[in-house]
Amino acid sequence: MAHGQLHHDTEDGADALFYPRAVLADLTDFDDQTILDACTTIFDYADAPAELRAEAAEIWSMMTGGAA
């Protein structure tokens, strides 16, 4: 997946975090950059639930060796 493709059009009311959630739910199916992009999308989304942000931060830290 090319960088930046995680931001899908949500005009139809679809969950803006559907794809990033799917990435975090099945890490083995995605490359490192896609996983980090998913985390970034979650961090950047103002209404992301705290639990999802915490999961993304934990994965980010595990992959980069540092805090998100």
Side-chain angles (χ1 to χ4, degrees):
M1 164 161 293
H3 181 72
Q5 286 186 324
L6 292 176
H7 303 282
H8 295 284
D9 185 3
T10 59
E11 288 181 32
D12 60 357
D15 179 3
L17 297 176
F18 175 81
Y19 188 76
R21 285 180 202 266
V23 171
L24 298 192
D26 201 356
L27 297 175
T28 60
D29 284 348
F30 299 97
D31 63 39
D32 289 356
Q33 188 60 54
T34 300
I35 295 167
L36 293 174
D37 288 346
C39 291
T40 299
T41 299
I42 291 166
F43 299 147
D44 290 347
Y45 191 73
D47 294 329
E51 183 177 295
L52 185 58
R53 286 180 186 276
E55 180 182 1
E58 183 177 332
I59 290 167
W60 180 280
S61 180
M62 176 183 68
M63 293 184 68
T64 64

